[in-house]
Amino acid sequence: NAGVTQTPKFQVLKTGQSMTLQCAQDMNHNSMYWYRQDPGMGLRLIYYSASEGTTDKGEVPNGYNVSRLNKREFSLRLESAAPSQTSVYFCASSEFRADQPQHFGDGTRLSIL
Amino acid sequence: DQQVKQNSPSLSVQEGRISILNCDYTNSMFDYFLWYKKYPAEGPTFLISISSIKDKNEDGRFTVFLNKSAKHLSLHIVPSQPGDSAVYFCAASARQGAQKLVFGQGTRLTINP
């Protein structure tokens, strides 16, 4: 009964390094999402995938890329990490319906020095 | 431009009393609203939602009220319990298939024994 699983849970990078955050869901959901949460702020949408084979930009996409590998997996890549990308990253999934809630993983805490 | 606002960063309530958390929004296209609860080092957990066609939705101790004319929603928790101590986020979306949720900044609720 895992739900949404994110790996790794913690990571420290140096400026300019690259990194891929992994996310997998076992709820057979069509839609998946990546958010970041910064202190004193709510979650902000980075990218989302409405269904397998599609991806779209959210509110704060700059500096990130995503890949919807299959229906279960949705990865987030930082090609050249910057200190401004220090944050907690959450992955979520949902049915492809506007009235169904998103289910979140426990997050990846990423620090960029 | 903060489309969803939670103006109270924190709230302290005595156990057994009512907790009222408030949220305001500016985008009149929003028609689905959710409340999430978040414990430290965990992902947000869905609590309750409401569609814009309703003005109230109840689930056990939790009730959400929506005032569309005022663009305001509130979450009532009664009676409040120590386990309710957490950060609460309201979120909103416009019906577009996949949900592009916009979150408020969160309110930290502390229930005192």
Side-chain angles (χ1 to χ4, degrees):
Chain A
N1 197 18
V4 179
T5 302
Q6 292 184 235
T7 55
K9 294 190 184 304
F10 304 94
Q11 186 70 47
V12 178
L13 294 178
K14 294 181 179 178
T15 298
Q17 287 186 316
S18 62
M19 169 82 189
T20 299
L21 280 59
Q22 306 288 351
C23 175
Q25 53 94 7
D26 62 4
M27 293 175 283
N28 202 35
H29 285 160
N30 287 303
S31 302
M32 297 185 73
Y33 313 81
W34 277 104
Y35 293 87
R36 61 178 287 174
Q37 185 193 9
D38 301 299
M41 302 183 72
L43 284 73
R44 292 182 293 169
L45 183 64
I46 304 171
Y47 270 93
Y48 68 100
S49 171
S51 59
E52 189 179 354
T54 69
T55 60
D56 280 292
K57 296 178 180 179
E59 182 184 355
V60 288
N62 291 344
Y64 304 96
N65 287 301
V66 290
S67 295
R68 182 74 183 266
L69 305 171
N70 48 55
K71 190 172 185 180
R72 289 188 63 246
E73 298 173 288
F74 188 37
S75 63
L76 178 71
R77 182 162 179 85
L78 288 70
E79 290 290 352
S80 179
S84 62
Q85 294 177 305
T86 293
S87 189
V88 182
Y89 291 84
F90 290 100
C91 177
S93 69
S94 74
E95 298 289 349
F96 185 70
R97 280 176 54 178
D99 62 348
Q100 292 296 308
Q102 294 180 19
H103 299 266
F104 286 81
D106 284 339
T108 295
R109 186 174 297 274
L110 184 61
S111 294
I112 299 161
L113 307 176
Chain B
D1 178 22
Q2 191 82 23
Q3 297 186 72
V4 178
K5 294 183 182 179
Q6 294 175 256
N7 291 318
S8 298
S10 63
L11 177 67
S12 185
V13 174
Q14 194 171 1
E15 182 179 358
R17 306 293 292 266
I18 185 171
S19 296
I20 300 176
L21 295 91
N22 294 302
C23 180
D24 297 296
Y25 62 96
T26 58
N27 189 341
S28 58
M29 298 300 292
F30 289 149
D31 56 8
Y32 181 57
F33 305 89
L34 310 90
W35 285 94
Y36 282 86
K37 175 181 181 179
K38 186 181 180 305
Y39 293 120
E42 294 184 9
T45 301
F46 170 71
L47 200 56
I48 192 169
S49 64
I50 188 166
S51 164
S52 60
I53 63 173
K54 296 184 176 181
D55 55 16
K56 177 182 175 181
N57 189 28
E58 283 183 85
D59 185 1
R61 296 186 298 114
F62 303 93
T63 303
V64 57
F65 295 92
L66 176 62
N67 183 333
K68 289 184 291 293
S69 61
K71 293 189 176 68
H72 177 84
L73 64 155
S74 61
L75 175 68
H76 293 209
I77 306 172
V78 56
S80 300
Q81 299 174 354
D84 296 330
S85 294
V87 177
Y88 289 78
F89 292 98
C90 68
S93 72
R95 287 186 188 275
Q96 292 179 10
Q99 306 158 10
K100 295 171 67 174
L101 289 180
V102 179
F103 281 81
Q105 308 96 308
T107 296
R108 181 177 302 278
L109 175 65
T110 302
I111 305 302
N112 301 307

